[in-house]
Amino acid sequence: MKNIIIVGSGIVGMLAAIITSKHNYKVTILDTQKIDAKKPFVERYFAINLLSKYVFMKIGIWDYIKKKGMCPFNKIVAWDATASSLVTFNSKIISYDYLGYILKESEIKKSLLRIIDQNKNIIYKRNSKINSITNKSQNCIIYCNKKKLNCDILIAADGRSSKVAEIMKVVNEPEDYEQDAITMNIKLKSNNIHATAYQRFNNGDIQGLLPIDKNSYNLIWSTNHSNSEKLFHLNKSALIKILNDDLSDHIGEIISVSKKSKFKLMGIHTSSYTKERVMFIGDAAHTVHPLAGLGLNMGIQDVFLLNLAFEKFCTEKSKINSDLLNYYERMCRIKNNKTIQIINFLKKFYETNLIPPIAKKSLVNIFNNSIVLKSKAIQEATGLNTLDTLLEKDYSHTQY
């Protein structure tokens, strides 16, 4: 049996393992993550778009995740506090019930591990340390915990600080957003959450709100480094006052906040998705500002494109060839370049002072009043454009 090694055991790495194992490959996952017992656990939430839902359904985890709980949303409201402009996105524009679903990271991982544990073609190795990699035209040799492993292909899914990329000397194109993201859950006084996500822009600050319960949101607040430091160390009562001043007019009164976490925002885009027998996927290939909530969805789209590449160019008897690698490289670059450019444009548009507020408001109103423009934007953000274009007759939106 042919062999694939995947470095990285996050959501994208596990998805890639499940997908490639279906093509008659023996897959080994190398879990390189170091667990910090002193670091408190903070649940993460992801907004899953329609393409990601399609992938989850295809591998058989969607029904399991539904049982564990999710929060669908059919509307997004975004406003600029400085320009007093507002834009809304509604799933009715594209004739769908929902735009996406809010899921817990822990439940996604549990569902993937259940599939992996039952798959005889997948081996999961914990506490893996990568020592070196020899990348050849016909195969790849990786030394892990000082043991030699051979594979037909090595897939790097080990995050934005990818050890594989470092060893292979793959150049990433950095984008310093000069911001940190602070995440926390906020609880409202009343149960008035109605399947709506919110986004507030204010002089470069971005506050994204994902509905996670009947009276709770997950907040992702992007702000400059000095302000993030102040906010992170504020006591709860002072923080709640600021949040109510900013958000209560739209979502209602906030009465409590959870523990906070903080991380630096940095965008990267790899110079190459493939290098001989090594493929890069997910955050090992790209990271982007969280304002659109598309980071994980871009990684899942990589897995979707990886599967298409295998279906088109790899039969049971054939090995991975240059056509497969070139297809994956080309499609990932096209799709991710577009998304990264749009997100970076939106961030700069809302934070710039070069455009007067009245002009910003006028431009946003033109967009908000155009069903055609909003429909195209939704189709790109939800992944429907990718599904409709690449799956052709195999995809019917009425099923999803």
Side-chain angles (χ1 to χ4, degrees):
M1 183 177 279
K2 298 165 285 187
N3 293 291
I4 289 177
I5 292 176
I6 297 176
V7 179
S9 60
I11 292 172
V12 172
M14 287 192 282
L15 274 173
I18 295 168
I19 287 291
T20 52
S21 71
K22 294 180 181 293
H23 295 278
N24 199 35
Y25 273 81
K26 180 180 177 182
V27 182
T28 301
I29 301 174
L30 301 180
D31 183 351
T32 59
Q33 187 175 7
K34 295 179 180 179
I35 299 175
D36 186 355
K38 296 180 180 180
K39 188 176 180 180
F41 172 76
V42 178
E43 182 69 79
R44 294 177 67 190
Y45 293 83
F46 292 110
I48 297 299
N49 68 10
L50 300 180
L51 182 146
S52 295
K53 178 187 176 182
Y54 172 85
V55 173
F56 286 174
M57 291 179 73
K58 282 298 183 182
I59 66 170
I61 67 169
W62 186 250
D63 288 340
Y64 175 83
I65 292 175
K66 280 176 65 176
K67 292 177 183 177
K68 295 298 180 180
M70 65 172 64
C71 190
F73 61 96
N74 55 26
K75 188 177 180 182
I76 300 172
V77 176
W79 75 97
D80 186 341
T82 304
S84 300
S85 62
L86 183 143
V87 60
T88 60
F89 299 93
N90 197 306
S91 61
K92 292 180 180 179
I93 295 177
I94 55 170
S95 301
Y96 273 73
D97 290 331
Y98 300 109
L99 295 171
Y101 305 81
I102 311 303
L103 308 180
K104 291 181 180 179
E105 179 185 34
S106 61
E107 294 299 343
I108 300 174
K109 286 185 173 181
K110 285 178 187 176
S111 64
L112 292 171
L113 282 170
R114 285 178 73 251
I115 299 292
I116 288 169
D117 288 342
Q118 297 167 8
N119 192 324
K120 295 180 181 179
N121 287 341
I122 302 177
I123 299 171
Y124 192 107
K125 293 188 176 183
R126 291 177 170 81
N127 302 317
S128 300
K129 183 179 179 181
I130 309 303
N131 305 117
S132 65
I133 300 169
T134 303
N135 189 15
K136 299 181 179 180
S137 59
Q138 298 300 317
N139 72 328
C140 192
I141 301 169
I142 180 167
Y143 287 87
C144 175
N145 297 338
K146 299 181 179 179
K147 292 183 179 180
K148 180 180 178 181
L149 301 172
N150 289 283
C151 59
D152 295 279
I153 202 78
L154 172 65
I155 299 177
D158 52 341
R160 69 177 184 178
S161 300
S162 171
K163 182 67 174 178
V164 177
E166 179 187 333
I167 292 172
M168 299 306 302
K169 297 181 180 179
V170 172
V171 178
N172 289 325
E173 300 160 10
E175 174 81 21
D176 189 351
Y177 292 120
E178 299 180 349
Q179 287 186 325
D180 298 311
I182 299 174
T183 65
M184 70 192 85
N185 297 336
I186 62 174
K187 188 174 182 179
L188 305 185
K189 184 176 183 179
S190 58
N191 301 336
N192 64 346
I193 292 178
H194 302 291
T196 301
Y198 291 91
Q199 193 129 47
R200 177 180 183 265
F201 298 88
N202 182 40
N203 291 320
D205 277 23
I206 306 170
Q207 294 160 309
L209 294 161
L210 303 176
I212 58 173
D213 203 345
K214 60 184 179 181
N215 66 343
S216 300
Y217 287 98
N218 178 243
L219 170 66
I220 305 153
W221 189 341
S222 306
T223 187
N224 63 63
H225 301 311
S226 60
N227 194 41
S228 74
E229 190 68 15
K230 294 175 185 176
L231 291 170
F232 194 74
H233 291 97
L234 272 182
N235 62 54
K236 288 189 176 183
S237 60
L239 182 58
I240 290 170
K241 184 181 185 308
I242 292 173
L243 289 172
N244 273 314
D245 289 343
D246 291 346
L247 304 169
S248 61
D249 287 348
H250 285 266
I251 67 172
E253 185 182 353
I254 300 162
I255 58 173
S256 67
V257 295
S258 69
K259 291 181 179 180
K260 303 181 290 291
S261 63
K262 185 176 76 165
F263 55 93
K264 179 179 171 60
L265 294 178
M266 195 78 183
I268 62 167
H269 198 195
T270 184
S271 59
S272 178
Y273 282 82
T274 62
K275 190 170 184 180
E276 292 182 338
R277 290 280 150 176
V278 177
M279 305 174 78
F280 295 89
I281 197 166
D283 284 357
H286 48 74
T287 60
V288 72
H289 197 282
L291 72 87
L294 291 178
L296 176 60
N297 292 294
M298 290 171 67
I300 296 173
Q301 181 177 259
D302 290 347
V303 176
F304 170 80
L305 296 172
L306 179 69
N307 185 54
L308 285 185
F310 271 82
E311 288 181 346
K312 288 176 179 292
F313 302 107
C314 190
T315 65
E316 287 189 10
K317 294 182 179 180
S318 69
K319 292 187 176 182
I320 294 173
N321 55 44
S322 59
D323 290 335
L324 184 153
L325 296 168
N326 291 337
Y327 178 86
Y328 175 76
E329 168 82 38
R330 183 175 72 256
M331 295 308 298
C332 282
R333 188 158 297 282
I334 290 171
K335 294 294 181 180
N336 292 327
N337 257 338
K338 182 189 292 186
T339 302
I340 290 169
Q341 288 172 8
I342 291 171
I343 291 173
N344 288 344
F345 167 78
L346 287 173
K347 180 180 180 295
K348 291 174 183 177
F349 173 80
Y350 278 106
E351 72 184 4
T352 185
N353 294 319
L354 298 177
I355 304 174
I358 192 169
K360 280 188 181 181
K361 184 175 182 178
S362 178
L363 290 169
V364 171
N365 286 341
I366 291 171
F367 176 82
N368 194 44
N369 292 326
S370 173
I371 294 177
V372 173
L373 290 176
K374 285 206 289 188
S375 177
K376 288 183 177 180
I378 291 172
Q379 288 174 17
E380 286 292 339
T382 57
L384 288 180
N385 184 51
T386 299
L387 289 170
D388 289 337
T389 302
L390 297 181
L391 290 189
E392 299 175 348
K393 294 181 181 179
D394 294 331
Y395 174 72
S396 171
H397 85 268
T398 57
Q399 298 176 10
Y400 303 102

